[in-house]
Amino acid sequence: MRTEPAVPAEALAAIRAPLAGAGAERVDAPLLQPLGLLLDLAGEAMRARLFVVQSEGGGEQCLRPDFTVAIARRHIDEGAAAGRYFYEGPAYRASPDADRPEEFVQVGLELFAPAGTPSLEADVEAATLAWAAASAGGRGDLSLWLGDVGLFSAFIESLSLPAGVAARLKRVAGRPRLLQAELARTGGAPASGEGSQLAGMLSGLSEPQAATLLQEVWALAGVEPVGGRGPAEIAARLVRKAEAAAAPALTEAQASAIREFMAISDAAAAGLARVRALAGRQAAGLDAALAEWDARLPRLEAAAPAERLRFAPALGHAFEYYDGLTFEVRSEALGADRPVAVGGRYDSLLARLGGAAEARAVGCMVRPWRAFAGGEA
């Protein structure tokens, strides 16, 4: 396993300081994480990036690729309504690139609040602290990229798409390859010949019935599920596959509108203006989401130079749990696929992990070796 070099102590202290000084409790997370849960959150494509561990007779686990899910589970287990947690430690992701480290340090902050808590203050705090920590490493080529998964969802809803099509587009919003496949499947008619017979059979059943049938098929075939997934989880994925195959495709006009939205990448104020213009041609349903940005952007412009702010509303991350503001601090030298810092809002993750419905959560993470001016190149 390739390990990144250590950041000099003085530089690491400077990068750490904004996050460590945010009044948060310092916590750690288990090194081993449940594989099935992480695959549900990131999709099967993430499996190749994970270091999988399986004990004899036990379920599959993986070395933690990230801290957010583990800390969210810790917060839920403690039963607290609100919480602020700071972490620092190694994370692990496999890479086919021989020059990329597979064990690397992350420093981050996760903020949790009860349902009904306004999101503006915490959103601005997380993005501001990520920018401050990344900038403390000494690089002079940084920019703060802003996005919004919720804005994409509101835009999709404005197109009056079939419910299944809209839900599928929202699920793949942060996964360019899958989204492009959806946009390429135009014509308005259902796809033919896609999916499997088993998926089609399961799609007409209730979730418990589908899970039971799948277990019977496994028993007859003498196979066992992999990845720690139960029959209900696998059946649900097969049902979604069948529904996707049967759902109408996008019309060319709908696909064109989505492509135009996804292509927005501009200075922050100009990018928001383009969203507003596009929304005006589609529907007025984005007003609330755009009003949030009208309040948020001046606060962010006070934290980072306006010329360093970029807006790309379709900005997403590897994990699918982000559902609101997203942001990345990028280095011009490292490019878009090696962000110095990432973060965003992920309220829905808490409910998916068994926490309170509509609880609020936002966080950020910085890679010190990338933030350090003498680090990753």
Side-chain angles (χ1 to χ4, degrees), residues 215-308:
Q215 284 180 302
E216 292 177 359
V217 171
W218 286 344
L220 289 171
V223 299
E224 294 289 338
V226 298
R229 296 169 182 267
E233 295 174 274
I234 296 175
R237 284 180 173 269
L238 287 171
V239 168
R240 288 201 297 267
K241 182 179 179 181
E243 290 173 346
L250 294 167
T251 66
E252 185 54 48
Q254 291 167 339
S256 178
I258 296 170
R259 289 190 193 100
E260 187 174 351
F261 180 93
M262 299 293 291
I264 294 173
S265 177
D266 211 330
L272 281 166
R274 290 180 62 189
V275 172
R276 198 179 301 275
L278 181 60
R281 298 200 301 272
Q282 300 297 327
L286 301 182
D287 285 350
L290 289 170
E292 288 185 9
W293 274 103
D294 288 339
R296 183 186 288 136
L297 188 56
R299 301 280 299 275
L300 293 171
E301 288 177 334
E307 67 273 15
R308 297 288 185 177

Side-chain angles (χ1 to χ4, degrees), residues 104-299:
F104 47 86
V105 172
Q106 293 185 338
V107 180
L109 186 72
E110 308 295 342
L111 309 175
F112 302 98
T117 304
S119 63
L120 176 62
E121 293 292 335
D123 282 356
V124 170
E125 180 181 12
T128 298
L129 289 173
W131 173 258
S135 300
R139 286 190 183 268
D141 64 346
L142 299 181
S143 55
L144 177 58
W145 287 71
L146 306 168
D148 191 343
V149 177
L151 192 61
F152 177 79
S153 296
F155 178 75
I156 292 298
E157 289 170 4
S158 78
L159 298 180
S160 301
L161 301 173
V165 175
R168 194 166 65 254
L169 287 168
K170 293 175 187 178
R171 281 199 300 271
V172 301
R175 301 166 69 183
R177 182 181 60 82
L178 296 180
L179 180 59
Q180 291 305 318
E182 288 294 332
L183 298 180
R185 191 171 72 88
T186 58
S192 59
E194 296 185 20
S196 68
Q197 290 184 335
L198 177 59
M201 292 170 59
L202 295 177
S203 66
L205 304 176
S206 68
E207 191 169 300
Q209 290 173 328
T212 299
L213 178 58
L214 189 57
Q215 284 180 302
E216 292 177 359
V217 171
W218 286 344
L220 289 171
V223 299
E224 294 289 338
V226 298
R229 296 169 182 267
E233 295 174 274
I234 296 175
R237 284 180 173 269
L238 287 171
V239 168
R240 288 201 297 267
K241 182 179 179 181
E243 290 173 346
L250 294 167
T251 66
E252 185 54 48
Q254 291 167 339
S256 178
I258 296 170
R259 289 190 193 100
E260 187 174 351
F261 180 93
M262 299 293 291
I264 294 173
S265 177
D266 211 330
L272 281 166
R274 290 180 62 189
V275 172
R276 198 179 301 275
L278 181 60
R281 298 200 301 272
Q282 300 297 327
L286 301 182
D287 285 350
L290 289 170
E292 288 185 9
W293 274 103
D294 288 339
R296 183 186 288 136
L297 188 56
R299 301 280 299 275

Side-chain angles (χ1 to χ4, degrees), residues 3-56:
T3 303
E4 70 181 7
V7 176
E10 185 176 352
L12 179 59
I15 295 166
R16 177 194 300 123
L19 302 176
E25 174 188 358
R26 180 158 185 164
V27 297
D28 199 0
L31 185 63
L32 293 179
Q33 294 293 311
L35 178 64
L37 174 63
L38 293 176
L39 291 179
D40 282 340
L41 296 173
E44 284 290 343
M46 177 59 80
R47 181 185 285 271
R49 302 289 311 280
L50 301 177
F51 288 99
V52 177
V53 179
Q54 183 171 21
S55 61
E56 186 174 352

